[in-house]
Amino acid sequence: MMIKKTPIRSRFHSILNLTNKWFLVFLLFPTFSGIQSFPVPKLERRVMDHAGILSEATRNRLEESLKQFETETSNQIAVYTTPSLHDEPIGDVAIQIFDEWKLGQKSKNNGVLLLIAPNERKMQIMTGRGLEGALTDIQAKQIIRNEITPSFKAKDMDGGVTAGVNAIISTIRGEYAPSEDDVNTTGSGESDEVSSGIVGGIATFFSLFVAGFGGLVVTIIGILFLYPLLVAMFGSIFALIVAIILFFLVIFLKRIFGLGKGGGSGGGFYDGGSWSSGSDSWSSSSSDSWSGGGGDSAGGGASGDW
């Protein structure tokens, strides 16, 4: 009687072919998603008022103030107003802009971005890794709530942006501190990322035991929920790498240990959500040229609306 055996090499090749197929999808997906991501403009000066909410006098005054602050401390602060967020969360947009503009010195990561979207009535302060101790999330939240928002509600955009920039500078210098009320009532941004990460981690774990295409969908959903926490922990570039590694790890474990069996041959199509940050360098084309030293952000700061 003939006993049919399944060669180990054949099984290994099937796993390898499946892995190669998903690897190509992950290589191509950041390119496709990059087409749909926020169109980050080229940095031309410290104050980029593309939404047209500031007077020329205010832009020039802020530009000079930020230039002097950078000369004294090497800290780089940029202000960007955008006419549209293109249906993206303002936190994601801020990270994309920060990553492409590379605010702050590479050795210090001492950059800050003040992003304002007047049409969506949202704003974000994004802090570089090196300034997270000097400009905490609580302080950033207080600046938005107490310094910028009141002026914006009164339709005084010049006054709100000026007050926000002055408060950011004062905070970094150690001259601006949160009140006791702020310590007790702010910090919801971090808790949101942690909560999303917990949900994503649980979903990703349980996807190991879900068969077929359904398991693939649960894996993708889990990683997408986990992604904001990964960005906060590692920064956008390393977060994307970790997410890709995690995806392949789940696929590998399911194939090797036979987890989640009972649903087809492992086909399917990945249609998750991601984005890439684009160029690694930037420079100014204005007469007052300046360039960043490769700083990055771990997602620190705060957001708000009015």
Side-chain angles (χ1 to χ4, degrees), residues 82-133:
T82 178
S84 174
L85 293 173
H86 297 270
D87 297 321
E88 293 196 44
I90 191 168
D92 291 352
V93 172
I95 291 175
Q96 292 181 62
I97 295 173
F98 204 110
D99 282 351
E100 183 149 337
W101 286 358
K102 298 292 181 185
L103 296 172
Q105 308 302 321
K106 185 175 182 180
S107 60
K108 299 180 180 179
N109 295 314
N110 55 341
V112 177
L113 171 67
L114 173 57
L115 172 63
I116 301 167
N119 289 327
E120 289 89 349
R121 304 175 73 87
K122 295 183 181 296
M123 66 188 102
Q124 174 91 26
I125 295 176
M126 183 67 64
T127 309
R129 295 173 185 269
L131 288 178
E132 288 182 348

Side-chain angles (χ1 to χ4, degrees), residues 185-252:
T185 61
T186 59
S188 60
E190 286 186 358
S191 62
D192 289 343
E193 292 170 349
V194 173
S195 299
S196 176
I198 292 174
V199 172
I202 293 174
T204 303
F205 174 76
F206 277 106
S207 71
L208 288 168
F209 307 99
V210 181
F213 181 74
L216 179 63
V217 172
V218 175
T219 301
I220 293 170
I221 293 174
I223 293 176
L224 289 178
F225 271 92
L226 188 60
Y227 189 73
L229 181 60
L230 295 178
V231 171
M233 293 172 60
F234 305 111
S236 59
I237 299 299
F238 286 108
L240 182 59
I241 294 173
V242 172
I244 292 174
I245 293 174
L246 182 59
F247 178 86
F248 281 118
L249 179 62
V250 172
I251 296 297
F252 179 77

Side-chain angles (χ1 to χ4, degrees), residues 11-72:
R11 180 177 176 82
F12 176 76
H13 282 170
S14 66
I15 295 173
L16 187 61
N17 290 334
L18 179 65
T19 302
N20 287 339
K21 181 165 61 176
W22 286 112
F23 182 67
L24 288 174
V25 171
F26 264 99
L27 280 180
L28 292 175
F29 185 78
T31 301
F32 296 145
S33 63
I35 297 175
Q36 300 177 346
S37 65
F38 184 84
V40 179
K42 179 182 178 182
L43 184 64
E44 296 176 348
R45 53 185 296 173
R46 295 170 179 83
V47 181
M48 301 268 287
D49 183 26
H50 285 188
I53 63 173
L54 302 175
S55 66
E56 182 178 358
T58 296
R59 290 197 302 269
N60 292 337
R61 186 165 55 250
L62 290 174
E63 187 79 24
E64 185 61 32
S65 176
L66 294 177
K67 177 184 176 182
Q68 180 178 351
F69 181 64
E70 182 181 346
T71 301
E72 296 173 356

